[in-house]
Amino acid sequence: MNETDARAVYQKALKAHRFRERAALAAVHVGLVFYVLLSVYPLLRIFSVSLRPGDRIISTDLSLIPAGASFLSYMKVLHETNFLFWLWNSLIITCATSAIGVSLAAAAAYAFSRFRFPGHKTGLTLLLGNEMIPAAMLLLPLFLMIMKLGLINTYLGMIIAYSVTSLPFSIWILKGYYDTIPKSLEEAALVDGTTRFGAFIRIILPLSTPALAIAFLFNFTQAWNEYLVARVVLTDARMYTWTLGLFELQGQYLTQWGMFAAASILVTIPVLGVFLYSSKWLISGLTLGGVKG
Amino acid sequence: MASVSLRKITKRYKDTEVLHDVSLDIADREFMILVGPSGCGKSTLLRMIAGLEECTEGEIVIDGAIVNHLPPREREIAMVFQDYALYPHMTVEQNMSFGLRLRKLPKSQIDARVKDAANILQIQPLLKRKPSQLSGGQRQRVAIGRAIVRKPKVFLFDEPLSNLDAKLREEMRIEIAKLHQRLQTTIIYVTHDQVEAMTLGSRMAVVNGGRIQQMGPPEEVFCRPANRFVAGFIGSPTMNFVRGAFSDIGEGPRFKDDVMSVDLPPLVDGELRKALLDGKPRPAVLGVRPDDVYVMQTEPKDAALATVEVVELLGHRKNLHLKAGKGKLLATVDASFAGAPGDRVSIAFNPGRLHLFDEATQERIALEARTAPRQGAQPTA
Ligand SMILES: Nc1ncnc2c1ncn2[C@@H]1O[C@H](COP(=O)(O)OP(=O)(O)OP(=O)(O)O)[C@@H](O)[C@H]1O
Ligand SMILES: [Mg+2]
């Protein structure tokens, strides 16, 4: 085989290799696009229902923007219902829950990560076990406690109920993250002149932003979308969160699907905003440790 | 600037005792080395001085005051950690100024001190970088910089060079020595590196198994090791040990094992000399450094004691691995020595540099220092 022959063979092999690489990439993309469609489709459907005149949920029309599209349903939700009230209630409860839940978890997780105390292991196991119990089973005890505390129909009652229920997950996430932060960083801070609390605030927390963001998002979405606990704790229509309010729209004989859909779209906006904002905290370019570069 | 004293320090974790009754006095401005094998308790000792570990028993005194109850931030010490422990989310400048900002120093003073330290360590161009953007050696400098801006009473170093490659380690070693001359601060420096231990400190404490084995200037520890552990630990290549027995019936001590017999310099201890007159040989270990073993090609062959097994050329020196009887011996000789594996050779020791250790207690048995002609090792009669 002379040199030109060898080169031709090589070129051919190279081409085949490149083709295989591209084909594999294309296959991956096809798969991903399929999943995106699958998850986006319901949202698009709801969106199209919200624009549809009248309260038709079933329709043979598959176009995204239906004939005669209007924002009438949005207007009606905002003007003819207490939607803004519900949104406000939800917002207060959710924000307070997230703030309190994350703070409590951040502190508790630190203790679990750095100190060895009697009940350390048992505590962690119980927290995990708590996660295994279905939420519906916790409903009754939770309700009884809140009632005994006289917190039915209050923001505080809801905030306590919510922040406490997402605590175990947040603690586990944060403890796992703290465990990866070398102890010598805190020790250096102690020698440099902080108290332990100071080291926690100035060193551990800034380094844990990705885990804190995840815990925050978890708390936020849990509280924002919660229905069951709200149903039993909030009986006064003025205190309703949007999840309760939305079901108000579901009349006994006639559900106002247009408004229902419009409200559903509106409530996703805050969550979307929070997600987009948090994403920058989720990406952490910091490398911990710092021995080898 | 301050003296540091440890008084009868004991450290227990649950039921394992890792430090036993350690006492140590470090003078103001002294450069003290703590050296010992892995796991001997060096770091624990240092961390107790820093206040990162509690003493189970005993007292730590810095600058005349007992500090056992003080948290690290009130001890006015600075520590350089083995993994540097730079704060990843802060720039080099912020890392260095962290301690000063906590102490609420005026901004102008903070800037001046950071600039000074950066100049000394030649890291001015790096001030705006994050630790992840630095090489190992640069991180090391920043860690030292963070310590010196604080102007502490005492510097603690925990194996600061162990993560650097050989060449960089050598450079930084010299820089740390210079730094000490310049800053004139008390330094306690933990290492398990021979060379650092020998070259850096004005004194060293050799630690093993949670006890201080010997304390003194490097040359003292090297020339008169207090026991067999110190003799074997300090010095590279490691000292040769020959097990046998010695006796002295008035004409000078003589050490014997199954293949050789060596005349020793007179014993220092008069009591022991008297006791030995009973003629009974006492079990002992003879120590001789590879540099103090002389090797000669011999005629006649029957005077030869040893066989060359392996020859390693190091450059201007050669390591000869010898077999003498059942024992092995390492000799470092001039590279021009023409021995080959299998050769029979005779050996001699430098008599001024022989070390004798009691077999039972492992303690040094003092011999008079003398510079006599080289002492040939004779075949056992
Ligand atoms: N938290 C702990 N609990 C139990 N034992 C411990 C603890 N910390 C250290 N030790 C033990 O104490 C001994 C001394 O540890 P130390 O870290 O001081 O060793 P070192 O001399 O610094 O060793 P190295 O050169 O490897 O750093 C070791 O045997 C270690 O196993
Ligand atoms: Mg150590």
Side-chain angles (χ1 to χ4, degrees):
Chain A
M1 198 158 54
N2 64 31
E3 200 177 320
T4 23
D5 277 352
R7 180 161 297 162
V9 168
Y10 167 73
Q11 292 287 359
K12 214 167 147 192
L14 190 65
K15 251 189 206 149
H17 173 72
R18 289 219 177 112
F19 176 76
R20 272 198 304 275
E21 256 183 4
R22 285 210 194 118
L25 204 62
V28 168
H29 275 91
V30 167
L32 290 176
V33 166
F34 175 71
Y35 275 104
V36 169
L37 286 179
L38 213 59
S39 46
V40 164
Y41 179 76
L43 198 67
L44 293 178
R45 265 343 304 159
I46 289 282
F47 182 63
S48 117
V49 169
S50 76
L51 294 176
R52 222 171 265 163
D55 285 318
R56 290 169 291 140
I57 188 169
I58 317 281
S59 154
T60 49
D61 180 14
L62 280 179
S63 64
L64 183 55
I65 309 217
S70 76
F71 285 107
L72 196 66
S73 299
Y74 288 86
M75 294 302 176
K76 272 167 56 184
V77 166
L78 293 176
H79 292 298
E80 293 171 19
T81 69
N82 281 332
F83 183 74
L84 286 178
F85 258 111
W86 304 332
L87 212 57
W88 177 245
N89 290 338
S90 278
L91 216 56
I92 289 190
I93 291 171
T94 304
C95 289
T97 297
S98 313
I100 293 174
V102 172
S103 314
L104 286 179
Y110 183 75
F112 275 116
S113 170
R114 290 300 194 254
F115 303 123
R116 291 293 170 269
F117 44 87
H120 175 266
K121 219 169 156 199
T122 327
L124 277 177
T125 317
L126 282 180
L127 283 177
L128 198 63
N130 194 39
E131 282 293 277
M132 311 285 174
I133 301 172
M137 274 178 69
L138 294 174
L139 199 58
L140 188 63
L142 210 54
F143 172 70
L144 290 176
M145 278 195 279
I146 290 174
M147 194 173 68
K148 287 253 167 67
L149 292 169
L151 294 175
I152 296 293
N153 270 324
T154 59
Y155 287 147
L156 189 60
M158 293 298 291
I159 292 166
I160 291 178
Y162 283 168
S163 46
V164 162
T165 41
S166 32
L167 215 45
F169 176 81
S170 312
I171 291 178
W172 269 90
I173 288 282
L174 284 164
K175 178 203 175 280
Y177 200 83
Y178 293 161
D179 285 347
T180 67
I181 301 177
K183 286 199 180 71
S184 60
L185 289 181
E186 275 163 275
E187 291 175 344
L190 288 179
V191 170
D192 261 348
T194 64
T195 57
R196 206 171 239 287
F197 183 70
F200 174 62
I201 299 288
R202 289 161 190 274
I203 307 295
I204 299 297
L205 287 186
L207 289 177
S208 305
T209 44
L212 289 169
I214 287 180
F216 181 84
L217 284 179
F218 179 77
N219 275 271
F220 193 93
T221 45
Q222 286 279 306
W224 187 254
N225 295 327
E226 210 282 337
Y227 177 78
L228 271 179
V229 174
R231 176 91 278 171
V232 298
V233 175
L234 302 176
T235 50
D236 181 351
R238 303 273 299 180
M239 293 299 296
Y240 276 8
T241 55
W242 70 260
T243 47
L244 297 182
L246 214 57
F247 280 91
E248 283 287 282
L249 296 181
Q250 205 172 12
Q252 200 171 0
Y253 304 109
L254 176 73
T255 302
Q256 295 166 301
W257 288 115
M259 281 163 72
F260 193 91
S264 305
I265 295 289
L266 287 176
V267 299
T268 54
I269 292 171
V271 185
L272 213 62
V274 168
F275 260 92
L276 287 180
Y277 179 72
S278 319
S279 62
K280 83 168 186 187
W281 298 106
L282 287 174
I283 304 158
S284 130
L286 300 172
T287 39
L288 296 176
V291 176
K292 291 273 140 75
Chain B
M1 278 177 269
S3 61
V4 176
S5 297
L6 308 180
R7 296 186 190 147
K8 294 183 173 294
I9 297 284
T10 296
K11 177 71 186 176
R12 265 190 297 276
Y13 289 111
K14 299 242 170 66
D15 34 46
T16 46
E17 190 166 307
V18 297
L19 288 173
H20 322 280
D21 202 19
V22 171
S23 292
L24 187 60
D25 282 302
I26 299 155
D28 187 15
R29 300 178 190 198
E30 187 168 22
F31 197 135
M32 183 70 167
I33 302 277
L34 296 180
V35 62
S38 192
C40 70
K42 310 178 295 285
S43 296
T44 307
L45 203 56
L46 202 68
R47 292 164 54 80
M48 286 164 81
I49 299 173
L52 296 170
E53 302 274 353
E54 279 180 28
C55 302
T56 313
E57 279 163 37
E59 286 170 355
I60 295 174
V61 180
I62 299 179
D63 206 9
I66 295 178
V67 297
N68 285 40
H69 58 288
L70 292 182
R73 66 177 185 282
E74 289 172 31
R75 295 192 182 191
E76 292 183 63
I77 37 117
M79 183 157 170
V80 176
F81 290 81
Q82 184 171 1
D83 63 357
Y84 315 146
L86 298 178
Y87 312 125
H89 57 304
M90 299 183 195
T91 62
V92 167
E93 190 171 13
Q94 290 166 335
N95 262 283
M96 287 170 65
S97 61
F98 184 68
L100 303 178
R101 283 183 279 135
L102 286 172
R103 282 180 177 68
K104 303 251 184 331
L105 254 66
K107 176 120 183 26
S108 57
Q109 205 175 335
I110 294 180
D111 289 346
R113 284 211 206 170
V114 169
K115 220 173 121 201
D116 263 5
N119 277 331
I120 295 176
L121 295 162
Q122 299 173 350
I123 48 175
Q124 308 95 318
L126 310 176
L127 286 179
K128 297 286 176 230
R129 292 211 201 153
K130 291 269 176 73
S132 58
Q133 300 163 317
L134 302 177
S135 72
Q138 292 168 334
R139 287 177 199 183
Q140 180 59 70
R141 281 164 202 271
V142 175
I144 294 175
R146 186 172 68 183
I148 64 180
V149 291
R150 297 245 327 272
K151 306 205 166 151
K153 285 181 177 171
V154 183
F155 281 114
L156 307 176
F157 286 86
D158 191 357
E159 304 199 26
L161 306 185
S162 58
N163 284 315
L164 302 179
D165 66 52
K167 190 163 174 317
L168 207 53
R169 202 179 309 167
E170 207 163 295
E171 278 174 32
M172 286 306 295
R173 201 176 67 222
I174 293 163
E175 297 222 5
I176 289 177
K178 278 197 224 154
L179 204 65
H180 178 242
Q181 286 164 15
R182 182 172 182 149
L183 300 174
Q184 293 289 323
T185 309
T186 313
I187 294 183
I188 306 175
Y189 188 106
V190 164
T191 181
H192 60 238
D193 184 280
Q194 291 281 333
V195 188
E196 285 170 39
M198 287 303 291
T199 56
L200 275 174
S202 42
R203 273 200 305 160
M204 68 162 98
V206 185
V207 185
N208 188 35
R211 283 197 177 80
I212 293 188
Q213 305 288 329
Q214 186 173 7
M215 189 160 40
E219 54 277 28
E220 157 96 20
V221 174
F222 184 81
C223 296
R224 277 182 296 283
N227 56 40
R228 195 177 147 183
F229 171 79
V230 175
F233 189 74
I234 298 293
S236 172
T238 311
M239 187 184 277
N240 294 298
F241 292 110
V242 184
R243 295 178 63 170
F246 74 103
S247 55
D248 182 358
I249 42 169
E251 53 204 26
R254 167 168 282 229
F255 176 89
K256 279 185 187 172
D257 80 342
D258 52 352
V259 287
M260 63 179 121
S261 135
V262 181
D263 283 327
L264 305 173
L267 296 168
V268 170
D269 184 351
E271 297 283 310
L272 181 62
R273 244 182 336 211
K274 251 182 250 159
L276 278 167
L277 287 173
D278 64 7
K280 258 198 293 188
R282 306 289 148 95
V285 177
L286 183 70
V288 53
R289 297 200 187 276
D291 269 323
D292 300 323
V293 180
Y294 304 123
V295 181
M296 290 148 289
Q297 308 268 29
T298 50
E299 293 297 334
K301 291 282 182 210
D302 55 348
L305 276 176
T307 316
V308 178
E309 288 198 311
V310 179
V311 181
E312 294 172 314
L313 181 65
L314 304 175
H316 61 298
R317 305 283 280 166
K318 250 181 194 170
N319 275 348
L320 298 185
H321 296 265
L322 307 171
K323 192 167 167 61
K326 275 181 256 140
K328 294 199 186 302
L329 217 54
L330 179 68
T332 308
V333 298
D334 196 86
S336 62
F337 182 84
D343 282 3
R344 297 283 295 167
V345 291
S346 64
I347 49 180
F349 303 135
N350 181 343
R353 301 227 188 124
L354 288 173
H355 308 271
L356 194 64
F357 302 99
D358 188 301
E359 169 85 49
T361 64
Q362 305 274 302
E363 295 295 317
R364 173 183 192 81
I365 299 169
L367 302 172
E368 272 174 25
R370 73 165 196 211
T371 42
R374 47 172 70 168
Q375 195 64 52
Q378 310 298 323
T380 309

